[in-house]
Amino acid sequence: MGFLRNAGSSSGYSEVWTVGELNSYIKDLFEIDYRLQDVEVSGEISNFSLARSGHLYFTLKDEKAQLRCVMWRSAAERLRFAPKDGDAVVAGGRVSVYEASGVYQLYAERLEPAGRGNLALAFERLKEQLADEGLFDPAHKKPIPAFPSKIGIVTSADAAALRDILNVLRRRYPLVQVLIAPTLVQGEQAPAQIVRALQWLDGRSDLDTLIIARGGGSIEDLWAFNDERVARAVFAAHHPIISGVGHETDFTITDFVADLRAPTPSAAAELAVPDREELYPLVLGLQNGLTADIKSRIQEARWEVQSLGQQLALHNPRRSLDSSRQRVDMLVNRLDQSMERRLTTARNRLALLEAQLTAVNPQTILARGYAIVRDPNGRLLRTAANATVGQHLHVQLSDGVIEVEVISNR
Amino acid sequence: MSNDFANLTFEQALRALEETAVKLESNDLSLEESLTLYEQGQKLAAFCTQQLDHATLRVEQLTTDGEIVEIRD
């Protein structure tokens, strides 16, 4: 290393350097090392600060060491995430010396959350594998019950996601019952807990639908829902499962396996139950249909009675007439042909009989279930409006008369 | 069919109402049968509406002890 000036006294030089000279010299040392001109370094961010100038200052550290870093505004503006203390990151740039304070630092050009590349790769790999195994196959998707009586929810007990779900259920369809199996939804313990909660709910026979939900977060926060154990538990479940994980733009493996994917926890609740505002008109429509049907049925019955009355008028007397004619014939045969006067009498009687039969026979109608109602004065009661509460009425049925008291008049 | 719907779920009552409506539409019923169906249908409709009006969301939660407790707002 003969090109370096040696400042040590042991080598015989006695020149005294200024601080600036020394720092400048050291800076040169850094800058002639090509490896330091473009390095990638991973660590955790601490002492993060965003200067008013737009430059970022922070320290990268691991268990044993720290590295001062700066990122100029031009590079900071290109960042697609907001770094903060505690973030595990990979920074890229050159290492040099800031002569004014005599520190070396990383002049970062790039900054990425650590492991994002690995996560994305793992996600794609698992997604492909499970797709090959048929876990996303539409043929395995179970239909979601239209009118669930009870819904099981796998989520964090004290998160906004659960409150959102309950609010939606309360507003849309409070007839449903809810059973919550609380679980961690992020962190290393989360997948095993989610699986346990899911299996516990799935083992119950009083549930119709399960919801598996988590509010929005970073890709790392949602990672439990990309866990293979969770995916397989969702697939193995006997109950239909609706997933609502993260925001609209987040897709997790759980979403692909679930019987129905909702973009958010609230949306999962909306897909799980009908809206009662749409059920009121449905019930009312059916009710109106009933009324229309019964009205037309009563009208038909009226026509039936009328037509029977007409048949009585037309047919019965004729039949009677026929038998009467036979009787007349008998009479004629029995009587002397000369008894013209008696024959005339018989013919007159016949005419009278015919007239009587022409009138509708009420007995026949009564036998069909109708009744004749009279007031105490024997007058026919034709409308409810003419009846008064407490009044005694005579109701004539086919085989006799009963007396009733009017209890109400609507 | 019984007049006591207390044990019916909303879905069961709604289905029964729909069936009643379909039956009543068919013409091969006596007047008396029609009236009975009509009454039954009206009661089912009232039951459904009452359920929609007065239901309150019931929420239960599994505790760490493995018990199920009711959660109230």
Side-chain angles (χ1 to χ4, degrees):
Chain A
M1 294 237 162
F3 59 90
L4 296 176
R5 290 195 292 174
N6 195 323
S9 56
S10 60
S11 60
Y13 289 99
S14 59
E15 184 184 345
V16 176
W17 297 43
T18 65
V19 174
E21 280 169 346
L22 183 60
N23 281 0
S24 174
Y25 179 79
I26 292 172
K27 183 177 180 174
D28 286 346
L29 286 182
F30 276 81
E31 294 193 345
I32 59 172
D33 186 327
Y34 73 96
R35 292 198 61 187
L36 294 180
Q37 302 316 301
D38 191 8
V39 297
E40 302 276 333
V41 55
S42 72
E44 187 187 307
I45 292 179
S46 65
N47 300 323
F48 180 85
S49 83
L50 167 60
R52 202 173 298 169
S53 57
H55 310 320
L56 306 183
Y57 298 94
F58 54 97
T59 303
L60 275 186
K61 62 173 189 179
D62 58 23
E63 293 82 15
K64 292 174 187 149
Q66 300 194 356
L67 170 68
R68 296 270 296 263
C69 303
V70 58
M71 179 175 250
W72 304 131
R73 179 177 158 181
S74 55
E77 281 172 349
R78 293 196 305 269
L79 285 180
R80 280 179 297 175
F81 77 114
K84 60 182 187 309
D85 281 351
D87 282 358
V89 294
V90 174
R94 66 189 173 88
V95 179
S96 186
V97 173
Y98 179 49
E99 293 169 61
S101 54
V103 296
Y104 72 91
Q105 53 189 9
L106 178 74
Y107 293 81
E109 295 287 333
R110 302 173 299 278
L111 194 60
E112 290 283 341
R116 177 158 287 185
N118 292 339
L119 287 182
L121 199 64
F123 177 89
E124 286 306 325
R125 205 175 291 152
L126 181 60
K127 188 179 156 194
E128 203 171 306
Q129 183 196 337
L130 297 183
D132 285 348
E133 287 183 39
L135 267 68
F136 310 154
D137 194 331
H140 294 307
K141 306 281 186 205
K142 292 177 273 295
I144 309 300
F147 299 96
S149 296
K150 196 163 182 179
I151 291 177
I153 304 177
V154 176
T155 195
S156 170
D158 40 29
L162 178 59
R163 285 195 298 278
D164 290 349
I165 290 173
L166 295 181
N167 283 339
V168 169
L169 294 179
R170 202 170 279 126
R171 167 171 58 77
R172 280 175 69 96
Y173 195 67
L175 290 75
V176 79
Q177 290 181 40
V178 173
L179 178 57
I180 303 159
T183 170
L184 286 177
V185 289
Q186 70 186 72
E188 267 181 41
Q189 304 298 314
Q193 278 201 17
I194 292 170
V195 167
R196 207 174 319 132
L198 193 61
Q199 286 172 343
W200 182 76
L201 286 175
D202 194 46
R204 295 181 64 95
S205 58
D206 59 340
L207 300 173
D208 300 300
T209 307
L210 305 184
I211 292 176
I212 180 165
R214 191 209 186 284
S218 69
I219 184 173
E220 291 85 1
D221 290 342
L222 304 182
W223 201 250
F225 296 87
N226 290 323
D227 189 281
E228 184 171 352
R229 289 165 289 174
V230 174
R232 293 197 183 278
V234 169
F235 183 73
H238 299 101
H239 289 90
I241 296 181
I242 304 174
S243 71
V245 177
H247 294 302
E248 286 81 351
T249 49
D250 298 319
F251 278 87
T252 63
I253 301 283
T254 295
D255 289 322
F256 293 115
V257 187
D259 297 296
L260 186 60
R261 183 249 173 191
T264 62
S266 304
E270 299 210 0
L271 292 173
V273 294
D275 188 353
R276 67 171 153 175
E277 295 308 322
E278 288 165 19
L279 292 173
Y280 280 119
L282 180 65
V283 172
L284 192 65
L286 287 166
Q287 208 170 2
N288 290 341
L290 290 176
T291 305
D293 284 335
I294 200 66
K295 272 185 180 164
S296 81
R297 184 66 189 83
I298 287 170
Q299 186 56 47
E300 268 171 39
R302 283 212 181 95
W303 287 333
E304 224 173 315
V305 170
Q306 274 177 11
S307 130
L308 280 170
Q310 282 163 1
Q311 280 175 26
L312 276 176
L314 290 172
H315 299 295
N316 283 1
R318 272 195 192 153
R319 244 179 271 132
S320 303
L321 188 57
D322 288 343
S323 67
S324 297
R325 277 190 180 128
Q326 276 183 2
R327 230 171 119 201
V328 169
D329 286 346
M330 274 166 56
L331 282 172
V332 167
N333 288 340
R334 209 185 290 168
L335 293 171
D336 194 305
Q337 289 281 338
S338 63
M339 295 182 79
E340 189 62 37
R341 195 178 52 82
R342 288 191 70 179
L343 184 58
T344 308
T345 308
R347 284 207 173 103
N348 288 344
R349 233 181 108 205
L350 182 62
L352 188 66
L353 194 61
E354 193 174 348
Q356 279 171 355
L357 285 169
T358 304
V360 172
N361 184 351
Q363 190 60 36
T364 314
I365 299 172
L366 291 179
R368 289 176 42 78
Y370 290 81
I372 297 170
V373 181
R374 296 177 195 277
D375 67 16
N377 298 324
R379 283 191 298 258
L380 274 177
L381 192 64
R382 294 177 195 280
T383 62
N386 287 342
T388 52
V389 172
Q391 190 179 28
H392 285 246
L393 300 174
H394 299 277
V395 179
Q396 188 180 344
L397 301 168
S398 64
D399 59 349
V401 177
I402 54 173
E403 192 178 331
V404 299
E405 188 181 336
V406 177
I407 293 169
S408 79
N409 182 348
R410 278 175 291 189
Chain B
M1 199 192 290
S2 161
N3 283 346
D4 179 20
F5 306 134
N7 293 326
L8 290 189
T9 64
F10 175 81
E11 181 179 21
Q12 288 167 333
L14 185 66
R15 297 278 174 251
L17 174 57
E18 281 169 345
E19 281 166 24
T20 305
V22 169
K23 269 193 220 159
L24 191 59
E25 267 173 40
S26 71
N27 287 321
D28 50 357
L29 292 171
S30 74
L31 182 62
E32 189 144 332
E33 286 168 323
S34 298
L35 285 168
T36 308
L37 276 179
Y38 173 72
E39 247 179 0
Q40 184 76 20
Q42 287 295 348
K43 282 177 187 163
L44 284 165
F47 175 78
C48 287
T49 308
Q50 193 264 344
Q51 290 272 294
L52 291 176
D53 280 344
H54 299 298
T56 40
L57 191 72
R58 202 162 154 241
V59 182
E60 295 171 326
Q61 183 171 320
L62 178 69
T63 67
T64 46
D65 305 332
E67 284 171 35
I68 296 172
V69 294
E70 187 160 356
I71 307 283
R72 294 172 197 282
D73 294 331

